[in-house]
Amino acid sequence: MTGWRSLLLRRETGIAVMIVLFCLAVGAVKPQFLTLNSLRIILLLTPLILIGAMGQMLVIVARHVDLSIGSILGLTAMVAGMMFRYAPEVPWPLAFPLAIGLGAVLGLVNGALVTLFRLPAIIVTLGTLSLYRGMTFIISDAKQIDRQYVPSALKAMSQTSPVFGIPWIIFIAFGVALLTWWFAMHTRIGRQVFALGSNPVAAPLRGINVTRVTLTVFAISGALSGLAGIMYASRWGFVNPSNTGNGFEFQVIAAVVIGGVSINGGVGTVPGVVLGVLLLGCVSAALPLLGIPGTTQSAIYGAVILIALVIDRMVRMQGRTRGTQRAGA
Amino acid sequence: MLRKSTLIGLTAGLAMLAGAAMAEPLKIVYIGKNTGNPYFDSITGGFEDACKSLGCEFEFVAPATAEATSQIPFIEAQIQRGVNVIGIAPNSPDALNEVLASAREKGILVLTVNGDITGSEQYRDATILPVNFDIVGRDQVELVGSLIGYEGEIAILSATTEAPDQNKWIVGMNETLKSDPKYAKMKLVATVYGDDQPEKSTTEMEALLANFPNLKGVIAPTTVGIAAAAQVVQSRGLAETVKVTGLGLPSEMRDFIKDGTVTAFQLWSPYNEGWLAVHFAKGVLDGSIKNEVGGTFEVPNLGTITINPNNSINTQAELTTFDAKNIDEFNF
Amino acid sequence: MTETSATARDAAPPRPLWQVLLIRPEMMTLILLLVGIFAGSQLSEFFLDTDYILKSFTLSAEFAMVALVLTLVIIAGEIDLSPAANMALSACLFAWVQAAGVPLPLAVLVGLGAGLAMGALNGALVIGLQIPSIIVTIGTLILYRGLAQIIAGDKSIRVPESFVGINDVMVAGIPLPVILFCLLALVLGLLLGTTIFGRQIYLVGTNEVAARHAGVRSARIRMILFLMMGLVSAVAGLMTASRLGSVRYDLGLGGELQMVLMAMLGGTYIFGGRGTILGTFLAAWLLVIVTTGMIVANVLPAWQLCVLGLLLIVSIIATNLIYSRTQR
């Protein structure tokens, strides 16, 4: 297969083309969509989803799924918020290791249940989705952490930075994406994630410690959800026990699936997922501009996921008949 | 088991008959829309304090989510517990009809507090609302007018498209803008809905700014919406050009008032709703208050209260306006 | 004959009858059920009241009926997370066309047909395109609920008075939805336990490839199950509409957790091939007992979330252990 053809057939190219076409179409109706300001709005919509999607991508590549990330986001954000409220003397940046560490532990619990008891991740994380959300209510006594308790310096991270005035959280999110890319491509364990996902049966024979790899992906997914929890407090300035992180898992899974990560494991790329997140961001930003009511958003997400699944399936069927193989990362 | 249920029915009936003379204290429960909603902390506070001073037993319960049916098992459970009064912030204008009817059959006094079941009023005894909702639209238009000098484009950022209270207020705003010549130079350019979610409210607010570059003011008559709108204006440094106002919680808006992002906004005292509900319920059950339209009764700290048509009771006549001068006096 | 005895000698000695009868997942469910009733009576004096428990069960009867069919789907090695959203969309469609002037019986047919169509779409994606049912039904879960939201916005649509009140219909002192649930359990129990179709469901779930080689039409069986799932979801949606008297897009929101929980608590093996209708039947009662006990005792709903989550995890661990120890 020639270079340009393989480039054309790549999932990333397809999504990039879709983004451009979508933006041009919206811009034709509403020219103000094609401005720097729109870019700012879109980029500000994406950091949380992008961070969550990096973890979820690794989990799905390893042939699992993590439905509990929204509840982990809520619980870690609440713990950080309670630190701000009840222990204001603690330096606020400590909230980062606290939330990330707690998220990693919650993720490890998922991973441990999946590996030690050989349980399907979807049921385990459906259970912990409920469990972690309940814990959020209990530790907070069902009380919201109001804006006044969240440190101004943390809130400012969503608004400013020294570089071109692009908010810090956007840098952090893309930094996480870069790290994930490096992890997936250039570390041994990262490559093992892909090997495990493409053939779980053969993985132990190839010297892969399945337990360790599985625990690692769930811990990363949890830790990144914890980071997203802090980002939530920064972006929205409050933490609510019931709303914070609710439904996050669906947005993230949508982005990951659109980004070309195969739910059959072993296949997925960081650039693809980043583009998937951006495409969802474009859709979210364009709907209100076009005057389309927010009630349609959920249906659009659902339809987009299904279309992505069907396309993915078609591509794989075609790939198989032509005898070509799509590599991992 | 049968004996037990009869016994419960009997006690409930007896409590009804004997009223305050009974040694058994009145059992009052308030069912919120959902747990974790800061708005209800303040209402519950009013309930608690009034119950303490009048010697009633009080419990606050709420489902984990605010979907239409989530309150039903909670109402059933309270009927089973044999409470005397159910106060409820209904999650649906009609899905609760059946279960509320069966509560009233058992002799339980049903009050909707901070939201009514519009169109199904026959399923509750009375409703306690913070203000007369007919004036909210008018007052909000006046407030935004005073902030922008009664001239320029304004927009509304509401909750969900079908939110009954907000829609009533929006009708009031439209009528005021049309009929009162004072507001002739103000033009309502758009009404958008953020579904009471911070993300959606933010993108809707951003779209308003992009679609209407000459926008002077935004009314957000919902606590989530006003906070989201204020945050957008704050982060883009537009506080001077676009005035955000609406209905908000002082606890959520304090920072925006202090840094000048928002000059003034309005609300009422949710605390007083709980306070009034308990006094009213106790009076109706011991016979000292007649639940009839046109009747009046006294409530400590609130003065004389009138029962309006549709058995609707308001805790205050006007909206409270919060600004830099008085914001620190309020702790909800 | 000699061959059989040879195999018998190689295999482990047969377990005593009492073990076969007692060490099985349904027994765990039954014990938990008794514990739940006892705990409920300790938590609140208002709990032990047959009328109240029956009334509370009515509130979950719709989910429980779906969970019965879901049990068959899981035994066949698939899963469906979309039924709660299906309930909402079929009920909204029913109420919507009915409000637009379509006669009631026809509107009911529209609702049921919509449910079937949704089941068919799930089936087509899973069987036709061979996409795993887990991810397909997460997608359709979002899609169906989203479509319901487009149709109904967030207003509630009233249904006609003549259609309201299925929960008030009493047969021998038992609410009709509870009776319907028991009847469905009986029919599905017989279907699964005594018919060839039932046997084939187990075969497909145990080893799909082997089943196909043995001449079992696996694709057809799984398609029928997805269609049944769509239909029962629509019935459940209409029952909910009748109970509430109105329909909104958020009807049954989050119900998939309860449905999966009922099947898991009843000892259905998540990887397919094992499980019984009796287990799910008992588990539905268990779940109602547990939630009702906590609500009537004014326990914070947060604790319910925790208990439900823990129950789900504990029940699959226990089921897996029991199966791995008894039926190798």
Side-chain angles (χ1 to χ4, degrees):
Chain A
M1 204 177 273
T2 51
W4 66 269
R5 263 196 78 178
S6 74
L7 188 72
L8 258 187
L9 272 179
R10 284 186 76 90
R11 187 57 169 271
E12 293 84 348
T13 322
I15 311 166
V17 170
M18 270 174 80
I19 292 179
V20 172
L21 288 180
F22 180 83
C23 289
L24 288 178
V26 177
V29 187
K30 289 273 174 185
Q32 59 267 54
F33 190 66
L34 300 176
T35 58
L36 265 181
N37 183 43
S38 278
L39 183 65
R40 188 188 59 84
I41 296 172
I42 294 167
L43 284 180
L44 267 175
L45 279 169
T46 51
L48 292 178
I49 302 180
L50 183 54
I51 292 171
M54 286 300 120
Q56 189 73 263
M57 176 191 120
L58 292 175
V59 174
I60 294 183
V61 164
R63 273 206 197 183
H64 296 290
V65 68
D66 188 348
L67 295 181
S68 70
I69 53 171
S71 296
I72 294 182
L73 190 159
L75 182 53
T76 51
M78 183 53 78
V79 168
M82 289 177 70
M83 186 191 100
F84 298 145
R85 178 168 183 175
Y86 298 109
E89 68 279 2
V90 179
W92 69 268
L94 281 181
F96 278 90
L98 179 68
I100 295 170
L102 177 64
V105 170
L106 297 173
L108 274 176
V109 172
N110 286 336
L113 287 167
V114 169
T115 51
L116 297 185
F117 296 98
R118 298 177 182 278
L119 303 176
I122 186 151
I123 302 294
V124 166
T125 54
L126 194 62
T128 50
L129 172 140
S130 183
L131 177 67
Y132 295 160
R133 179 63 62 186
M135 286 164 66
T136 311
F137 277 110
I138 291 169
I139 60 157
S140 65
D141 195 20
K143 296 270 188 298
Q144 171 171 310
I145 301 294
D146 281 326
R147 211 169 287 275
Q148 68 207 58
Y149 300 111
V150 179
S152 314
L154 179 60
K155 284 186 279 194
M157 291 180 71
S158 296
Q159 296 173 355
T160 52
S161 86
V163 193
F164 305 125
I166 299 167
W168 274 110
I169 56 167
I170 295 175
F171 281 116
I172 294 178
F174 283 89
V176 165
L178 213 59
L179 271 177
T180 312
W181 176 81
W182 171 79
F183 173 82
M185 301 288 280
H186 298 288
T187 65
R188 217 170 82 101
I189 192 159
R191 286 194 300 267
Q192 287 181 341
V193 173
F194 284 84
L196 171 67
S198 45
N199 194 342
V201 182
L205 305 176
R206 291 156 79 181
I208 294 173
N209 184 337
V210 176
T211 309
R212 211 184 90 188
V213 173
T214 311
L215 285 175
T216 307
V217 291
F218 276 101
I220 291 177
S221 173
L224 289 180
S225 306
L227 178 61
I230 290 282
M231 297 286 107
Y232 186 99
S234 165
R235 179 76 180 91
W236 305 112
F238 68 90
V239 183
N240 184 287
S242 131
N243 298 339
T244 297
N246 201 356
F248 182 60
E249 59 278 4
F250 289 134
Q251 295 179 341
V252 165
I253 291 175
V256 169
V257 174
I258 293 165
V261 177
S262 165
I263 25 97
N264 289 321
V267 177
T269 70
V270 170
V273 175
V274 170
L275 288 169
V277 172
L278 286 177
L279 179 58
L280 278 188
C282 289
V283 174
S284 301
L287 288 183
L289 212 56
L290 294 169
I292 298 171
T295 44
T296 53
Q297 193 163 341
S298 177
I300 292 176
Y301 270 36
V304 166
I305 292 181
L306 289 177
I307 293 169
L309 286 173
V310 171
I311 291 176
D312 179 58
R313 179 68 200 162
M314 298 293 186
V315 168
R316 271 189 300 132
M317 279 175 165
Q318 219 169 20
R320 205 182 301 153
T321 49
R322 286 188 190 164
T324 54
Q325 274 201 325
R326 285 165 54 82
Chain B
M1 269 173 256
L2 193 71
R3 215 179 43 213
K4 204 157 195 171
S5 62
T6 350
L7 210 78
I8 294 157
L10 258 177
T11 16
L14 275 176
M16 293 294 306
L17 287 175
M22 281 273 297
E24 186 93 344
L26 216 53
K27 285 207 251 174
I28 299 180
V29 65
Y30 183 52
I31 304 176
K33 279 183 185 296
N34 60 329
T35 48
N37 191 331
Y39 185 86
F40 290 103
D41 294 346
S42 184
I43 298 186
T44 310
F47 267 101
E48 271 167 0
D49 289 354
C51 280
K52 231 174 267 164
S53 78
L54 293 181
C56 310
E57 276 177 20
F58 174 71
E59 294 253 24
F60 171 76
V61 293
T65 58
E67 42 110 4
T69 60
S70 56
Q71 288 172 323
I72 293 177
F74 288 83
I75 303 173
E76 296 273 15
Q78 297 310 321
I79 299 174
Q80 180 72 5
R81 291 177 65 85
V83 298
N84 309 98
V85 180
I86 292 180
I88 183 165
N91 279 341
S92 159
D94 45 23
L96 307 174
N97 291 355
E98 304 259 325
V99 61
L100 290 182
S102 72
R104 293 182 65 209
E105 270 168 34
K106 299 265 159 59
I108 297 171
L109 185 73
V110 174
L111 305 175
T112 53
V113 180
N114 189 56
D116 199 7
I117 39 178
T118 313
S120 313
E121 284 89 353
Q122 67 270 32
Y123 294 99
R124 47 85 172 150
D125 290 283
T127 186
I128 289 157
L129 300 174
V131 290
N132 180 354
F133 280 178
D134 294 337
I135 65 160
V136 173
R138 187 195 72 200
D139 287 11
Q140 292 264 286
V141 169
E142 168 56 31
L143 179 62
V144 79
S146 70
L147 293 172
I148 63 171
Y150 302 101
E151 195 172 343
E153 294 183 352
I154 60 166
I156 299 171
L157 171 62
S158 185
T160 57
T161 45
E162 305 293 336
D165 296 344
Q166 270 81 5
N167 282 354
K168 193 167 186 179
W169 303 332
I170 292 172
V171 169
M173 291 175 201
N174 279 304
E175 280 170 2
T176 311
L177 284 170
K178 239 178 262 154
S179 58
D180 195 332
K182 189 178 178 186
Y183 310 114
K185 287 184 180 162
M186 285 160 62
K187 187 167 168 241
L188 179 64
V189 289
T191 304
V192 297
Y193 303 89
D195 289 356
D196 266 352
Q197 292 174 14
E199 290 90 345
K200 272 190 193 166
S201 303
T202 300
T203 48
E204 290 289 350
M205 181 68 191
E206 295 272 17
L208 279 180
L209 295 176
N211 277 339
F212 305 101
N214 299 322
L215 201 64
K216 288 275 175 297
V218 172
I219 309 177
T222 146
T223 57
V224 178
I226 189 175
Q231 201 178 13
V232 170
V233 169
Q234 181 196 44
S235 67
R236 295 190 54 184
L238 291 173
E240 289 305 312
T241 38
V242 182
K243 293 292 176 188
V244 171
T245 187
L247 300 178
L249 276 173
S251 59
E252 294 188 321
M253 298 301 291
R254 187 162 289 128
D255 282 9
F256 295 124
I257 290 279
K258 297 232 157 148
D259 71 11
T261 306
V262 174
T263 314
F265 64 96
Q266 296 175 317
L267 198 69
W268 42 75
S269 161
Y271 177 92
N272 286 346
E273 293 177 65
W275 176 264
L276 188 147
V278 174
H279 284 88
F280 175 73
K282 169 115 177 158
V284 169
L285 290 184
D286 69 18
S288 62
I289 297 175
K290 284 227 158 31
N291 183 16
E292 283 168 358
V293 174
T296 59
F297 56 97
E298 296 290 323
V299 175
N301 303 340
L302 296 181
T304 308
I305 303 288
T306 313
I307 302 174
N308 298 322
N310 244 337
N311 296 73
S312 161
I313 300 164
N314 300 133
T315 50
Q316 57 194 79
E318 300 285 328
L319 289 167
T320 311
T321 303
F322 305 93
D323 54 25
K325 277 187 282 272
N326 68 0
I327 185 91
D328 282 330
E329 294 163 26
F330 300 91
N331 61 351
F332 61 88
Chain C
M1 282 310 276
T2 43
E3 268 175 34
T4 339
S5 60
T7 7
R9 219 181 309 133
D10 283 348
R15 291 184 304 132
L17 187 65
W18 67 267
Q19 272 196 11
V20 178
L21 285 179
L22 289 184
I23 305 186
R24 35 185 315 133
E26 294 89 347
M27 197 45 87
M28 164 190 89
T29 318
L30 188 65
I31 292 168
L32 281 176
L33 181 59
L34 296 175
V35 171
I37 294 174
F38 177 74
S41 67
Q42 294 302 303
L43 270 176
S44 168
E45 56 188 304
F46 304 105
F47 173 71
L48 271 187
D49 174 346
T50 329
D51 285 348
Y52 174 57
I53 291 176
L54 282 177
K55 206 168 191 178
S56 300
F57 191 89
T58 323
L59 303 179
S60 299
E62 299 105 6
F63 288 165
M65 287 172 67
V66 179
L68 291 173
V69 183
L70 182 62
T71 307
L72 303 189
V73 174
I74 297 178
I75 292 175
E78 299 288 350
I79 195 159
D80 189 348
L81 292 177
S82 72
N86 181 332
M87 284 169 65
L89 182 51
S90 6
C92 280
L93 263 174
F94 154 75
W96 186 60
V97 297
Q98 181 278 128
V102 173
L104 188 61
L106 208 60
V108 170
L109 283 183
V110 168
L112 297 180
L116 266 180
M118 284 181 259
L121 177 61
N122 285 340
L125 290 172
V126 173
I127 297 147
L129 285 175
Q130 297 178 14
I131 309 173
S133 50
I134 281 182
I135 197 81
V136 164
T137 55
I138 287 182
T140 53
L141 157 105
I142 305 173
L143 176 68
Y144 296 163
R145 181 133 350 244
L147 289 175
Q149 207 174 357
I150 291 179
I151 290 175
D154 67 55
K155 58 172 174 281
S156 49
I157 309 176
R158 300 282 309 162
V159 300
E161 276 307 314
S162 59
F163 190 75
V164 178
I166 189 171
N167 53 318
D168 290 332
V169 181
M170 294 285 182
V171 181
I174 301 170
L176 184 58
V178 182
I179 303 227
L180 289 177
F181 164 70
C182 296
L183 279 180
L184 185 66
L186 193 68
V187 170
L188 291 181
L190 289 175
L191 178 79
L192 188 63
T194 63
T195 65
I196 295 174
F197 182 72
R199 199 92 37 84
Q200 290 179 333
I201 292 177
Y202 282 112
L203 278 177
V204 169
T206 313
N207 190 335
E208 208 253 337
V209 180
R212 265 205 320 249
H213 285 305
V216 176
R217 294 165 77 178
S218 150
R220 209 182 82 171
I221 287 174
R222 288 180 297 151
M223 191 66 199
I224 292 175
L225 289 178
F226 275 108
L227 288 175
M228 281 171 70
M229 203 64 204
L231 187 61
V232 77
S233 305
V235 170
L238 295 185
M239 283 171 65
T240 315
S242 163
R243 175 163 65 78
L244 298 175
S246 70
V247 170
R248 212 162 77 167
Y249 84 93
D250 62 1
L251 180 149
L253 190 69
E256 55 279 349
L257 175 68
Q258 285 193 43
M259 297 168 188
V260 172
L261 187 50
M262 284 176 190
M264 293 297 109
L265 269 178
T268 312
Y269 190 48
I270 185 64
F271 297 110
R274 289 158 190 170
T276 60
I277 290 293
L278 174 69
T280 307
F281 177 82
L282 290 173
W285 288 101
L286 169 60
L287 201 62
V288 169
I289 293 286
V290 169
T291 48
T292 307
M294 286 195 283
I295 290 180
V296 80
N298 280 355
V299 175
L300 263 182
W303 285 104
Q304 288 181 45
L305 286 177
C306 287
V307 170
L308 293 188
L310 277 177
L311 269 179
L312 180 60
I313 293 168
V314 169
S315 68
I316 42 172
I317 293 177
T319 310
N320 279 11
L321 282 181
I322 291 173
Y323 280 131
S324 66
R325 291 195 54 149
T326 57
Q327 307 181 359
R328 227 163 308 210

